[in-house]
Amino acid sequence: MKVFCSTLIHETSRQSPIPTDLDSFREAFLYVPTSGEGSHWCAQNLDGVDWTEILKEQGHEAAYGLLAGAQPSRPISSKTWKYLLNEIRASLRAAMPVDFVALSLHGAQVAEDVDDCAGEVLATIRVLVGPDIPVGAVLDLHGNMSERMMENADILLSCLEYPHVDTPDRARQLVELLATQARGKIRSTMARRRVPMLGTYYTTRSPMREFVDWAKSFEDRVNILAVSVTHGFPKADVADCMAQVIVCADGDPAGARRVADEIADRYFSLRDAINPSPLSSDAAVTEALKARSGPVVIADIADNPGGGAGGDSTHLLRALLRAGARDCALGMIWDPVAADFAAKAGIGARLPLRIGGKTGAAAGTPVDFVAQVIDASDNAAQQAQGMTAPLGRAALVEANGIKVVLNSVRQQVFDPACFETLGVVLSACRIVVVKSRQHFYERFGTIASRVIYADTACDESGDHNLALTKIARPIYPLDNPPFDAYGRRWG
Ligand SMILES: [Zn+2]
């Protein structure tokens, strides 16, 4: 079958200091079908989805639409959004007729004047292909699912794991279901349940681990095609920011609703147990220093570029310095100027450096120290969700027994390569601080003697002012249950 496939990934944070334009997509990946720009991105794994591989495996022919992804940042400029949407429209028109449409979308993408970009993409496609061509999307579990998305898709399917290690399998599952629907063998019907709560739910920890396994097991039931449990992304600040459950069933709307209700009930009942309590910077360092063996990995969850943060906050660096901790590594501080100074000074040089604290108040103030340049690279890179992700000019500098990785292409830490390619021996470190909320866990979980989550928003100097104005209320933990929402009582 001929399949129109397209990828559009952006997790939007209204609190991010980083603007988003077309160059933001060029920095990560951008294939523009009408001009052919970036055609090398076709046939590659992009944020966990390689359309060429998946469609080939299942015997389909790929018709490529737009492929675009950018690091999380502020709402996309109106001009860029119109351009991207027009590319999807034009490439689909050129590809038609197609047997079905398979998309990889984030679900928490916001443009300056559009709160629900995924809904707009799906609605645009539905208008073009009509009601009978199956349309589906694989989504990030941090997406904020909307009614418009539901109305314009046959199958919506999120990853279930955080870190999102199951995205490739979920994309395969999506294509299988869409192809089966295109052959007329199933008729998908979907139910969505909004679960009025927000939080960070690590599927690597109990009881979220057991809950996700239990929810997924419903897919073994007759007629249940797919179960999605999403977490939502609060910083997108739209009405649908919240945890949700989406169930696809074969011609059984009542069955889909029943399963969605059962999963939503249990999800809400776990709201306290699945939400971890991170430590402040100082408490995290104190706790880490108690460990008998290293490396203890401290995740700087507030300054996660993967959630739109600047990646240059200095709170944890200051906490290490205050504690007099030595044999530590911290990465990556996004500071193209400091990385450039260090690289130009050269390996072995000692120089005064002003590090970080530039992108906004949440980043804290810069740290000044005289540092030694241990290593430098003009094209450092890491593996990130199946892709080789460039880090730009990068340097490893050391002062007071703390090694700091400076980089030039803003990105969260996914991979020990962020440190190791610059010569850090992680096993010799007492503490390794990574700027990432959870994706680091895939590759650091096995080498860490212990993982500690630190939220610098708990620090006095951190950003407490999460001003969310559009999120529907009531919602836990901003409101305390019991309360009424979505036609029922929660409590
Ligand atoms: Zn995510």
Side-chain angles (χ1 to χ4, degrees), residues 195-314:
V195 184
M197 62 181 197
L198 280 168
T200 298
Y201 310 132
Y202 299 125
T203 60
T204 46
R205 290 156 62 121
S206 181
M208 190 62 186
R209 174 72 267 140
E210 293 80 4
F211 169 71
V212 167
D213 290 339
W214 171 78
K216 169 102 176 138
S217 73
F218 281 90
E219 293 185 351
D220 300 333
R221 290 198 182 177
V222 177
N223 287 350
I224 301 299
L225 304 172
V227 169
S228 298
V229 173
T230 64
H231 305 189
F233 184 63
K235 291 181 178 183
D237 196 19
V238 297
D240 285 304
C241 283
M242 69 185 81
Q244 301 198 32
V245 176
I246 294 175
V247 175
C248 302
D250 181 12
D252 182 7
R257 285 196 295 270
R258 265 198 313 278
V259 171
D261 279 334
E262 191 177 342
I263 296 172
D265 276 356
R266 187 177 294 191
Y267 200 6
F268 192 73
S269 75
L270 292 169
R271 61 192 176 278
D272 286 320
I274 58 178
N275 211 2
S277 304
L279 303 176
S280 69
S281 305
D282 286 323
V285 170
T286 303
E287 199 55 33
L289 288 172
K290 290 180 189 164
R292 285 165 186 269
S293 63
V296 176
V297 172
I298 299 178
D300 182 352
I301 67 171
D303 192 33
N304 171 26
D312 71 333
S313 99
T314 52

Side-chain angles (χ1 to χ4, degrees), residues 11 106 140-142 162 164 439:
E11 184 179 75
H106 187 282
D140 191 293
L141 58 74
H142 293 110
Y162 185 32
H164 308 329
H439 284 304

